[in-house]
């Protein structure tokens, strides 16, 4: 093997990792905002993404809906699901111990996975849409991945602007800072939680739009993307979106380079082991401040 | 002898007599599975009942199953030695993950997610070491039994379900005894104090980190034994059925559904979930996949919202309210999950 810095495959791997990081960053956004505002971890978050993927797939493949419209519908469906999840399942136990809310969404995880298996069967489905790849020197970069990367950057900036510049965004940030005082200032936490859940769901739906282009859909896909999404959020500092963004790229590079030097599983093993070690060194996340 | 003891004795004899009642191998298999999973869930609840909600027990189960099978297949070491080795390794892993967690006071969500990462690490390691472990395809312990020699004590392989039944009953009873020993020890009071208010407990002289580590290691060891027995009984293991997020969640939820604050709760959880899966398979057939998982998930949601102490916990609660309550530790208020 060449010295890595002159090896085009090495650089291709690094870029692939970077692009995968964009996908992970987008996946973790919704989970992050929900944790930051409502202080709940949706263990079933990746299963919501799966349902979004199925929505897009069936609308596009079986009903001939144009892809952009199908994706919009996918985002809406997952946003509604997110709001419903909060309203019917999280809200009744919001006052109990936080771990109960995590566990209850675990029940939802099984429910959605079972539902998908029952309704759509276990077969792998592929949207079959490809945009080819871009050639740069000796490297090939799939356009879909580049697109995913750009969309996630736009989504992060968009979300940031929403939170900073709009009244609703300000209210969301305020409630995440002090949930006892804000009701006194005329902000209804119940409404904000519902809006945040819909927003988090919508971001999951956006994630679904990109994953549906990149991967096969099957009922257990949530188990593939779920753990890594949680790790990204926790390592970034749950609720800290910029931290999550950086963590996504660190994880993605670990996985890509692990796959380059050994097998892809080793990449995941190293990434998860790194996560565990990081939790001990910086339990508040890479950008978190010591509380 | 008081009434609860008579009930227990009769119940135990009833369990022991299951093989003598002439049931089919299928029924016996369900009974063995229920007791084995009941043992694993009991192992989880040893720590889970004190608010240490671990999503990492798939790791310990995977270590138990794979350590024993790998030692047997690659080094010819009998499971009788392999199981203690697996227990020690599993406890060591429990210590390695538990010590920093407890030292740096990683609790609640964070503890759940760190342990979740651990169970994924073990699953992926098993897949990555596919040259030795068989990867995702799973592995079979090298068989020494045949038509001539149906049972091998050294290899811990028995073709006869009745033998397995009694082995698993013995393991399960030991599990219940461990649960009771913890329940009646100072650890319980210390852990209940810790789960209410860590600082206050520490100020009263509870060694928080050490106490948490003790229950974690007991729990990890029990789960490893369960994983090892599972592998020996099924004679086939794969990374998905012994480790990873799915099995970890299964362990947590069955224990909660049955009731993790009472001795037989996790066993009841195992019985409920098995009857649900098998019952649905019998009634709606093999072709309808996913319905059991769906009902199971819906049940869990309802349980956590309406019945956080699980089925058996709730039954005992109702019974005690009706009889005006009996004396003893069972009537004391128990912490809710996660408290």
């Amino acid at each position: 093997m060449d010295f890595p810095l002159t090896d085009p495959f090495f650089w291709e791997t690094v870029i692939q990792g970077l692009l995968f990081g964009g996908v992970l960053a987008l996946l973790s956004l919704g989970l992050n905002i929900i944790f930051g505002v409502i202080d709940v971890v949706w263990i079933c978050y990746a299963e919501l993404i799966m349902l979004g993927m199925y929505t897009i797939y069936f609308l596009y493949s079986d009903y001939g809906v144009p892809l952009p419209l199908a994706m919009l519908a996918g985002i809406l469906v997952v946003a509604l699901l997110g709001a419903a999840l909060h309203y019917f399942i999280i809200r009744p136990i919001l006052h109990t111990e936080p771990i109960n809310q995590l566990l209850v969404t675990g029940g939802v995880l099984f429910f959605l996975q079972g539902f998908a298996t029952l309704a759509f069967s276990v077969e792998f489905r592929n949207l079959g849409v490809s945009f080819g790849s871009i050639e740069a020197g000796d490297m090939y970069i799939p356009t879909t991945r580049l697109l995913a990367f750009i969309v996630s950057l736009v989504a992060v900036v968009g979300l940031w602007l929403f939170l900073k510049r709009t009244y609703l965004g300000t209210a969301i940030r305020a409630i995440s800072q002090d949930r006892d005082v804000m009701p006194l200032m005329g902000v209804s936490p119940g409404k904000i939680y519902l809006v945040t859940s819909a927003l988090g769901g919508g971001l999951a739906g956006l994630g679904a739009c990109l994953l549906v282009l990149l991967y096969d859909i099957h009922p257990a896909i949530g188990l593939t993307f779920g753990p890594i999404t949680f790790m990204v959020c926790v390592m970034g500092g749950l609720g800290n979106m910029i931290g999550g963004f950086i963590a996504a790229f660190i994880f993605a590079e670990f996985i890509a380079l692990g796959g380059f030097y050994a097998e892809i599983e080793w990449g995941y093993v190293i990434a998860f082991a790194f996560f565990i070690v990081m939790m001990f060194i910086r339990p508040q996340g890479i950008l978190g401040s010591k509380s | 002898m008081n009434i609860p003891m008579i009930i227990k004795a009769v119940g135990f004899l009833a369990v022991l007599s299951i093989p003598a009642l002439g049931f089919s191998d299928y029924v016996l298999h369900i009974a063995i599975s229920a007791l084995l999973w009941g043992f694993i869930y009991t192992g989880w609840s040893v720590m889970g009942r004190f608010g240490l909600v671990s999503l990492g027990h798939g790791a310990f189960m995977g270590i138990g199953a794979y350590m024993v099978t790998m030692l047997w297949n690659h080094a010819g070491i009998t499971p009788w030695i392999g199981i203690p080795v697996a227990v020690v390794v599993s406890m060591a892993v429990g210590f390695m993950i538990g010590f920093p967690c407890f030292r740096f006071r990683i609790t609640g969500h964070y503890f759940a997610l760190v342990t979740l990462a651990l169970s994924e690490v073990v699953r992926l390691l098993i897949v990555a070491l596919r040259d030795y472990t068989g990867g995702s395809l799973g592995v079979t312990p090298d068989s020494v039994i045949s038509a001539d020699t149906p049972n091998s004590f050294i290899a811990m392989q028995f073709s006869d379900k009745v033998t397995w039944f009694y082995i698993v009953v013995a393991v399960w009873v030991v599990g219940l005894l461990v649960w009771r020993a913890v329940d009646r020890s100072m650890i319980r009071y210390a852990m209940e104090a810790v789960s209410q208010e860590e600082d206050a407990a520490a100020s009263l002289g509870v060694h928080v980190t050490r106490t948490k580590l003790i229950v974690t290691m007991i729990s990890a060891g029990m789960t490893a034994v369960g994983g090892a027995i599972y592998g020996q009984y099924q004679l086939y293991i794969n990374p998905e059925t012994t480790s990873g997020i799915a099995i970890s969640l299964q362990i947590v939820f069955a224990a909660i559904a049955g009731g993790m604050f009472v001795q037989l709760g996790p066993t009841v959880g195992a019985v409920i979930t098995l009857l649900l899966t098998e019952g649905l398979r019998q009634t709606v057939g093999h072709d309808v996949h996913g319905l059991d998982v769906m009902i199971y998930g819906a049940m869990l949601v309802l349980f956590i919202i309406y019945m956080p102490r699980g089925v058996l916990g709730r039954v005992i609660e109702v019974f005690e309210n009706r009889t005006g309550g009996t004396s003893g530790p069972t009537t004391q208020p128990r912490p809710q999950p996660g408290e």
Side-chain angles (χ1 to χ4, degrees), chain A residues 35 99 107 111 118 234 265 272, chain B residues 109 113 121 130 288 294 297 338:
Chain A
F35 184 83
I99 198 75
F111 180 82
L118 188 66
V234 176
E265 290 88 13
F272 285 175
Chain B
H109 295 330
L113 292 172
V121 165
R130 56 172 65 79
V288 185
M294 205 175 140

Side-chain angles (χ1 to χ4, degrees), chain A residues 190-213:
Chain A
K191 262 186 212 153
I192 295 294
Y193 287 173
L194 204 58
V195 170
T196 309
S197 298
L199 183 65
L203 288 165
L206 192 60
C209 295
L210 296 177
L211 287 190
V212 83
L213 295 173

Side-chain angles (χ1 to χ4, degrees), chain A residues 49 60 102 108 110 142 223 283:
Chain A
I49 296 177
Y60 176 75
L102 183 142
V108 176
F110 282 115
L223 296 182

Side-chain angles (χ1 to χ4, degrees), chain B residues 10-37 39 151 156-174 229 232-234 267 271 274:
Chain B
V10 170
F12 185 59
L13 285 176
V15 169
L16 282 183
S17 61
I18 287 174
L21 299 176
F23 288 122
S24 63
D25 268 6
Y26 171 71
V27 176
L28 215 49
H29 168 71
I30 300 298
I32 293 169
S33 305
L35 292 177
L36 181 55
W37 283 111
F39 169 74
N151 297 314
M156 211 190 265
Q157 295 174 2
F158 308 100
S159 50
D160 158 42
K161 287 244 186 309
V162 177
T163 314
W164 270 118
F165 181 82
Y166 285 112
I167 293 174
V168 170
V169 167
V171 169
W172 172 69
V173 168
V174 170
I229 303 280
Q232 294 304 120
Y233 171 63
Q234 299 277 349
T267 310
V271 172
L274 265 168

Side-chain angles (χ1 to χ4, degrees), chain B residues 297-337:
Chain B
M299 251 173 52
L300 287 170
V301 171
L302 296 176
F303 273 130
I304 294 164
I305 297 178
Y306 298 107
M307 216 189 274
R309 284 183 184 182
V311 173
L312 193 63
R314 180 75 191 138
V315 167
I316 289 176
E317 210 173 60
V318 168
F319 181 74
E320 276 171 1
N321 285 345
R322 192 166 294 167
T323 56
T326 51
S327 59
T330 48
T331 53
Q332 284 170 5
R334 295 179 201 84
Q336 296 287 310

Side-chain angles (χ1 to χ4, degrees), chain A residues 35 39-41 43 88-90 92-93 97-119 122 223-224 226-227 230-231 234 237-238 263 265-266 268-269 272-273 275-276 279-281 283-284, chain B residues 51 53 55 96-98 100-101 104 106 108-110 112-114 116-118 120-121 123-125 127-130 136 245-246 249-250 252-253 256 260 288-291 293-298 300-302 304-305 308 336-339:
Chain A
F35 184 83
D39 203 16
V40 169
V41 175
I43 287 284
F88 293 110
I89 293 171
I90 307 277
I93 54 164
E97 286 301 314
I99 198 75
N100 280 6
Q101 294 136 27
L102 183 142
L103 293 175
V104 85
T105 60
V108 176
L109 179 154
F110 282 115
F111 180 82
L112 294 180
Q113 209 190 326
F115 168 76
T117 313
L118 188 66
V122 289
L223 296 182
T224 320
F230 303 130
M231 303 308 136
V234 176
L238 271 168
E263 277 139 351
E265 290 88 13
W266 282 109
Y268 278 96
V269 169
F272 285 175
F275 163 79
I276 293 174
M279 277 306 285
F280 299 147
I281 301 171
Q284 70 278 25
Chain B
V53 176
L55 297 183
M96 271 158 48
I97 199 86
C101 273
F104 298 122
I106 293 168
H109 295 330
Y110 290 89
L113 292 172
V114 169
L116 179 70
L118 175 71
E120 281 294 298
V121 165
R123 182 181 72 83
L124 290 161
L125 266 178
V127 177
L129 294 168
R130 56 172 65 79
S136 314
I245 175 173
L249 288 173
Q250 180 195 321
V252 178
F253 289 126
I256 291 175
M260 61 173 150
V288 185
H289 291 292
L291 188 62
V293 183
M294 205 175 140
I295 295 177
Y296 177 55
L300 287 170
V301 171
L302 296 176
I304 294 164
I305 297 178
Q336 296 287 310
E339 244 175 39

